[in-house]
Amino acid sequence: MILCITHSQDFYNIDLFFEYLASKNIPYFRLNSDRLNHLQKISIDENSFELTDESGNTVHSDDIKGVWHRKAWRISTPEELDQDYEKIFLNEYGSLRYNLITALEHIPWINPYENEKKVDGNKIFQLKIAERNNLTIPKTIFSNDEEKITNFFHQYCQGKAIAKLHGVTAKTMSGENMISTTIIEEESLENLADIAYCPMIFQPYIEKEYELRIVYVDGDFFTGKINNSENADWRVAHEGYVWSAYELPEPVKANLTSMMNEMGLYIGAIDMIKGRDGAYYFLEVNPQGEWGMLQKELGFSIAQRIADNLINRINFHE
């Protein structure tokens, strides 16, 4: 059995994954991470765990042979819970979820949980490893210091920079209430007074030919190109932009593979920019990043490739 850790609003990507497993007669169990709370019954001892989900389906850890960590969401709290107890509720259910996850560390994962957590939560760490693996990265500062940011702007940005949050405000691909990337110009610097309340990442604005969303699956590449040269981020480019298949140069593939191997990740959604200067700039990798639009619009078999990778590693593990 394959355990898939996802959330209650997930569809399409996860459906394709389950359809493929079903076609191979491989059982699976869907664990909605946001419902891992009072809606589920969970018991963990020193050797195993048993979980019954909100629909009454039960799984025992002994039956799980591999895990796809598709996407984890924040645990939901019950409306009737007194606000004074909300922190305790989230802390204890968070601990329960972490204990459940670590009980499965000995079997194959996509991606290994601790590796993914370190990479996903540290953009500067990503850039350091990317540069170490011969990828071109933009000069970057993550700061809450108005003076340091202003000096960075004048030293490296030639009058135009981008500012972005380390995380995103919502996990959606619609672009609504999600994108935190802003273009900064000289007159924008006067708005930095409140930066102490919200540190941000600053980089020089890259004059780009186009953007690339690259789905890496253990050495295989599924790359979509979008001709978005005007906006700060492809996610805000709704009208008039379409994805097209793209073949990365072999040296870029080799460097990305080396980077992902050092990070200990089997899959990830990588964002890159092809600059007008001809360089390929690595921006970031999201281990749980979205790729459904590439499978849907370009016919890539990403869900099937993820499943095959996990199946093959389970068979090797056994």
Side-chain angles (χ1 to χ4, degrees):
M1 175 180 286
I2 290 177
L3 175 69
C4 180
I5 301 173
T6 183
H7 58 86
S8 59
Q9 303 303 310
D10 195 14
F11 65 96
Y12 187 69
N13 300 42
I14 195 75
D15 294 336
L16 291 171
F17 184 77
F18 288 154
E19 286 170 11
Y20 186 69
L21 293 182
S23 74
K24 291 185 168 293
N25 297 313
I26 295 174
Y28 55 84
F29 190 93
R30 174 176 181 152
L31 175 58
N32 290 324
S33 55
D34 54 327
R35 301 291 182 88
L36 208 157
N37 53 16
H38 61 294
L39 299 175
Q40 302 186 7
K41 296 184 184 302
I42 309 139
S43 295
I44 307 173
D45 62 31
E46 65 275 14
N47 298 310
S48 62
F49 69 78
E50 185 175 276
L51 181 147
T52 301
D53 69 12
E54 61 270 32
S55 300
N57 304 304
T58 298
V59 65
H60 194 282
S61 56
D62 290 347
D63 297 323
I64 299 170
K65 305 304 180 186
V67 181
W68 180 27
H69 191 215
R70 152 73 183 142
K71 193 176 286 287
W73 270 14
R74 184 179 186 269
I75 294 170
S76 301
T77 55
E79 292 182 6
E80 67 273 13
L81 187 68
D82 190 303
Q83 194 170 3
D84 292 340
Y85 291 99
E86 183 172 331
K87 185 175 181 181
I88 295 173
F89 180 95
L90 291 173
N91 282 345
E92 293 309 303
Y93 271 108
S95 296
L96 188 66
R97 185 163 82 176
Y98 186 64
N99 276 263
L100 181 148
I101 284 169
T102 53
L104 298 171
E105 282 185 326
H106 62 289
I107 62 175
W109 277 65
I110 294 182
N111 287 299
Y113 183 77
E114 296 295 344
N115 296 354
E116 181 174 286
K117 187 166 66 170
K118 182 175 183 180
V119 170
D120 195 36
N122 196 335
K123 297 289 195 295
I124 302 300
F125 173 73
Q126 291 186 21
L127 292 171
K128 180 171 64 176
I129 294 182
E131 187 173 41
R132 192 154 63 218
N133 287 280
N134 302 310
L135 290 160
T136 302
I137 64 169
K139 186 69 178 174
T140 304
I141 186 172
F142 186 15
S143 178
N144 70 344
D145 186 325
E146 181 180 356
E147 183 180 353
K148 286 282 198 301
I149 295 164
T150 301
N151 291 340
F152 176 88
F153 181 87
H154 290 137
Q155 184 174 357
Y156 298 109
C157 299
Q158 298 181 316
K160 196 172 184 180
I162 63 104
K164 58 187 178 181
L165 297 177
H166 190 284
V168 293
T169 56
K171 293 179 182 287
T172 172
M173 290 304 295
S174 68
E176 300 297 330
N177 300 319
M178 175 181 176
I179 299 307
S180 50
T181 303
T182 304
I183 294 175
I184 302 291
E185 296 180 292
E186 187 73 38
E187 59 270 22
S188 309
L189 294 177
E190 63 189 36
N191 299 322
L192 285 176
D194 292 334
I195 193 67
Y197 299 102
C198 184
M200 298 184 77
I201 293 173
F202 294 84
Q203 297 170 329
Y205 182 85
I206 300 169
E207 296 293 341
K208 56 194 171 189
E209 286 188 36
Y210 43 77
E211 293 183 64
L212 300 169
R213 166 53 65 109
I214 303 155
V215 180
Y216 172 92
V217 187
D218 201 12
D220 288 342
F221 292 85
F222 303 90
T223 303
K225 164 188 166 184
I226 191 165
N227 288 314
N228 170 40
S229 58
E230 298 86 13
N231 299 296
D233 193 295
W234 60 264
R235 296 169 187 81
V236 300
H238 296 301
E239 301 296 331
Y241 295 91
V242 295
W243 291 100
S244 59
Y246 188 84
E247 187 64 31
L248 286 168
E250 289 302 322
V252 175
K253 287 184 181 180
N255 293 339
L256 288 172
T257 299
S258 178
M259 179 196 75
M260 294 294 281
N261 287 339
E262 183 173 343
M263 290 177 176
L265 301 179
Y266 290 97
I267 67 171
I270 299 165
D271 286 327
M272 297 190 78
I273 285 175
K274 173 69 181 301
R276 291 182 184 172
D277 59 3
Y280 287 84
Y281 291 90
F282 170 86
L283 301 181
E284 64 178 281
V285 55
N286 183 343
Q288 299 181 3
E290 289 295 340
W291 44 261
M293 69 286 188
L294 299 185
Q295 176 140 0
K296 184 176 182 180
E297 296 185 28
L298 302 177
F300 291 157
S301 300
I302 299 171
Q304 295 81 354
R305 180 67 184 90
I306 293 170
D308 282 338
N309 180 273
L310 190 53
I311 292 165
N312 291 338
R313 287 171 49 229
I314 290 169
N315 291 334
F316 180 79
H317 181 75
E318 293 181 342

